[in-house]
């Protein structure tokens, strides 16, 4: 009886040890918890202003993202920029500054729907993500009169003639997470903006038949 009691005590102690040892197992998540928290903090729709620069000068607009998955986003870009020839140089005439032989102020207003794909989302767990993008849409070309002795810049814009043409772009960039509520996106996009026909003259006798070019942009996106 004493021997049986001792054996039962040893079995019970062994069972307690095994249960205690089982609690020492450590399970690792399939993805880093920080990355999961970052993604969970994001809303499905992001938006924000953007600034850009091209061979024609500066421009600005707005960018909206709709999240389709953890790495794929649908984007809407509305951008406005001046368009000009490289031959345009300002000269001083007394108190006036003007561009010789310029007859029109030309603006482009591309509105494009795009798809953005974040790369290496599984391998990179930091705040920076490389992005590839492409898109198509409509480009509105505004053609206003140019008066070298009139300083009312917006008057020409409000009375401009509108022409509509197709638009497309391909781009590469990077998204940098600033905080839980905002990110910064820096990208380079090549815009394909044909006009066709006889083109449009900004400088007399030098028509522009397309507005293609590289646009560098900076966007601040709010989640």
């Amino acid at each position: 009886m004493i021997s049986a009691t001792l054996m039962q005590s040893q079995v019970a102690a062994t069972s307690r040890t095994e249960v205690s040892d089982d609690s020492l197992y450590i399970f690792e998540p399939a993805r880093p918890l920080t990355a999961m928290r970052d993604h969970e903090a994001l809303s499905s729709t992001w938006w924000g202003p953007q600034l850009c620069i091209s061979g024609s000068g500066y421009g600005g607009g707005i960018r909206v993202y709709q999240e389709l998955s953890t790495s794929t986003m649908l984007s809407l870009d509305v951008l406005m920029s001046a368009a000009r020839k490289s031959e345009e140089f300002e000269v001083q005439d007394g108190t006036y500054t003007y561009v010789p032989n310029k007859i029109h102020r030309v603006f482009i207003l591309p509105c494009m729907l795009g798809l953005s794909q974040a790369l290496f989302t599984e391998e990179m767990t930091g705040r920076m993500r490389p992005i590839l993008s492409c898109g198509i849409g409509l480009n509105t070309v505004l053609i206003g009169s140019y008066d070298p002795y009139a300083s009312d810049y917006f008057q020409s814009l409000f009375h401009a003639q509108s022409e509509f043409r197709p638009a497309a772009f391909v781009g590469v960039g990077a998204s940098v997470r600033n905080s839980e509520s905002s990110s910064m996106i820096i990208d380079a996009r090549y815009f394909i903006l044909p006009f066709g026909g006889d083109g449009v003259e900004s400088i007399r006798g030098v028509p522009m038949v397309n507005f293609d070019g590289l646009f560098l942009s900076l966007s601040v996106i709010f989640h």
Side-chain angles (χ1 to χ4, degrees):
M1 292 293 293
I2 296 175
S3 177
T5 303
L6 290 174
M7 290 179 64
Q8 291 176 356
S9 299
Q10 290 175 353
V11 170
T14 302
S15 299
R16 287 195 297 271
T17 302
E18 290 177 353
V19 171
S20 177
D21 290 342
D22 188 53
S23 65
L24 298 178
Y25 288 124
I26 298 174
F27 295 91
E28 294 185 359
R31 298 181 61 186
L33 293 177
T34 54
M36 293 172 63
R37 285 197 298 269
D38 282 350
H39 174 67
E40 291 169 355
L42 300 179
S43 60
S44 59
T45 302
W46 317 343
W47 67 276
Q50 64 171 314
L51 297 175
C52 72
I53 183 171
S54 68
S56 294
Y58 297 95
I62 189 170
R63 179 176 293 181
V64 180
Y65 285 109
Q66 177 65 45
E67 188 178 38
L68 301 180
S69 71
T70 56
S71 60
T72 306
M73 294 172 290
L74 191 67
S75 66
L76 175 65
D77 284 77
V78 180
L79 183 68
M80 185 173 184
S81 175
R84 62 181 183 181
K85 297 290 290 183
S86 58
E87 293 88 345
E88 297 187 25
F89 296 99
E90 293 183 338
V91 298
Q92 190 76 26
D93 180 16
T95 59
Y96 294 98
T97 301
Y98 70 99
V99 178
N101 298 317
K102 185 176 179 68
I103 59 174
H104 292 123
R105 296 186 190 273
V106 183
F107 305 88
I108 56 173
L109 204 163
C111 178
M112 290 184 281
L113 191 66
L115 198 64
S116 297
Q117 178 67 44
L119 305 178
F120 314 120
T121 55
E122 298 296 332
E123 294 82 358
M124 300 178 65
T125 59
R127 294 181 176 271
M128 184 174 178
R129 295 284 190 278
I131 298 174
L132 293 179
S133 59
C134 62
I136 58 173
L138 181 70
N139 181 34
T140 303
V141 182
L142 303 176
I143 308 167
S145 60
Y146 175 76
D147 184 351
Y149 300 105
S151 59
D152 196 345
Y153 183 86
F154 293 100
Q155 187 73 12
S156 173
L157 178 61
F158 293 147
H159 293 85
Q161 173 189 350
S162 300
E163 299 283 350
F164 302 97
R165 297 293 188 272
F169 75 88
V170 291
V172 60
S175 171
V176 182
R177 187 74 180 275
N178 294 327
S179 66
E180 292 297 325
S181 60
S182 68
S183 296
M184 182 171 62
I185 297 179
I186 304 170
D187 57 16
R189 292 182 171 183
Y190 188 84
F191 282 21
I192 303 168
L193 305 171
F195 189 84
D198 296 329
V200 56
E201 292 182 330
S202 172
I203 297 292
R204 188 186 305 277
V206 189
M208 293 183 285
V209 296
N210 68 70
F211 304 98
D212 299 357
L214 184 66
F215 285 70
L216 305 178
S217 70
L218 171 65
S219 305
V220 179
I221 304 299
F222 298 98
H223 309 152

